[in-house]
Amino acid sequence: MPIFVRPSGAFPGVINPPPLDPLEVPSLSWTDAQGRMTLLSDWASGWVLQSGVRGLDMPGYDFYTDASPRIDGTALRGLRAQAREVFLPIALFDEDRAAFLARKRSFYRTLNPYLGFGTLTLTEVDGSFRTIEAYYVSGAEGDFGQDSSGLHWQTLGLTFSCPSPYWLGEPVHLEYGSGATGSFFPLLPVVVRDSQVLGATVIDNPGDASAFSVWTIHGPATSVVISNDTTGLRFSVTAPLSASDTLVVDTRERVQTAVLNGTTNWWPNLASDSDLWGLRPGLNNVSLTLVGTNSNTQVQLDYQPCFLTA
């Protein structure tokens, strides 16, 4: 039987204590698709994250290689980061049987994969955090052995599947335009001149992979071109926007939409050579060219940096 190692503070109840091996980690929580959050590393509230956590660091990779006759070795043709799994061994407990059953059943409802994707969040002691979208796969089927459960406690080895290999950092919001407020990016020399907004700026993506952004464009504008001069990619909006129009261009992979005023599909009004580019890791030289503007025209940029580790 594992050795019961208990953090400081009294255990809620003294009969048949769980064989806990608490893990010294930052705060780790699970939030389901309905917004119900469970802090899985909160001893005082009846949750202990134990040794054996896996999947918080580097993802796996698929490597595509070719071999040629009479040439030693192989040629690397491409690679792809795999979806990841996160394994969390936890213990949950309460002061009596009724309270324990209520806690367990309430938590299990949040694991229901039919609800949709949830979020795992790792928060450091300084308050910074990273998240990853996930859904429950296995581990809560029920093991009632001597070392895995008691009348008011149970240990679980939960497996979550994460479709993306990357942990997301804190959201970044930038605003551009002559009347921009809030997080206006000061390096951008955006001016309104001759009905045209011209701007060039450097955006630093601190992540480890390309970050695909959501662009929100508030009219008026007769045309819009947004370019990443570092990668040579751009997208263009060819239809005019009135002063009351708001266009949202979502470049995120597996999403990629252009929606006007929250309802109208604006995809046909993107130029045929448009590429919904992402911000590569590091510095990106970005240009905005908007024609037919006034002082109310504004462009907003929202993205989350993507990291290899939590």
Side-chain angles (χ1 to χ4, degrees):
M1 174 182 290
I3 298 174
F4 173 41
V5 181
R6 189 178 59 182
S8 60
F11 180 77
V14 295
I15 300 175
N16 188 22
L20 300 180
D21 184 15
L23 184 65
E24 186 177 358
V25 293
S27 171
L28 184 64
S29 66
W30 160 251
T31 305
D32 76 352
Q34 297 182 350
R36 295 174 292 191
M37 192 273 284
T38 304
L39 183 57
L40 301 176
S41 53
D42 185 2
W43 163 265
S45 297
W47 301 91
V48 179
L49 190 64
Q50 302 192 90
S51 296
V53 173
R54 298 192 302 271
L56 302 187
D57 287 335
M58 291 285 291
Y61 290 89
D62 292 323
F63 296 92
Y64 303 99
T65 62
D66 289 337
S68 301
R70 301 181 182 178
I71 299 178
D72 296 336
T74 59
L76 179 63
R77 299 304 184 189
L79 68 156
R80 180 182 67 91
Q82 300 170 351
R84 73 166 73 216
E85 283 192 344
V86 174
F87 178 73
L88 301 177
I90 65 171
L92 63 151
F93 54 87
D94 219 307
E95 294 193 5
D96 56 50
R97 178 68 175 174
F100 165 71
L101 287 177
R103 175 190 295 273
K104 182 177 76 167
R105 290 167 179 169
S106 177
F107 174 60
Y108 279 17
R109 281 194 289 271
T110 73
L111 298 180
N112 183 357
Y114 279 110
L115 297 177
F117 291 115
T119 303
L120 292 169
T121 303
L122 190 142
T123 305
E124 295 291 344
V125 293
D126 63 358
S128 63
F129 63 88
R130 292 181 182 179
T131 65
I132 194 166
E133 194 175 58
Y135 58 91
Y136 164 79
V137 174
S138 65
E141 296 82 3
D143 181 353
F144 298 99
Q146 181 179 359
D147 293 342
S148 57
S149 66
L151 288 177
H152 57 101
W153 63 271
Q154 189 167 351
T155 59
L156 308 168
L158 300 177
T159 297
F160 293 88
S161 182
C162 306
S164 171
Y166 301 118
W167 290 82
L168 299 179
E170 299 182 40
V172 176
H173 176 77
L174 303 172
E175 296 182 1
Y176 308 101
S178 63
T181 58
S183 300
F184 173 68
F185 198 74
L187 297 183
L188 182 67
V190 173
V191 294
V192 178
R193 181 181 65 249
D194 300 329
S195 297
Q196 190 173 56
V197 173
L198 296 175
T201 187
V202 177
I203 300 176
D204 186 4
N205 172 13
D208 303 315
S210 293
F212 290 87
S213 311
V214 178
W215 295 89
T216 302
I217 305 161
H218 299 275
T222 55
S223 69
V224 178
V225 179
I226 299 181
S227 307
N228 188 331
D229 299 329
T230 299
T231 61
L233 302 176
R234 71 176 190 171
F235 67 86
S236 306
V237 182
T238 58
L241 303 175
S242 73
S244 61
D245 283 336
T246 298
L247 175 64
V248 177
V249 180
D250 192 333
T251 73
R252 290 175 297 173
E253 295 173 305
R254 297 186 175 89
V255 178
Q256 296 200 335
T257 57
V259 178
L260 183 72
N261 298 329
T263 58
T264 305
N265 178 20
W266 214 242
W267 190 267
N269 295 314
L270 297 183
S272 59
D273 61 348
S274 292
D275 188 302
L276 299 189
W277 49 267
L279 297 165
R280 74 173 191 178
L283 301 179
N284 294 257
N285 296 308
V286 175
S287 298
L288 311 175
T289 305
L290 285 77
V291 177
T293 67
N294 64 24
S295 60
N296 295 319
T297 303
Q298 188 179 95
V299 178
Q300 298 173 344
L301 167 64
D302 292 277
Y303 72 95
Q304 285 184 272
C306 299
F307 295 95
L308 293 170
T309 65

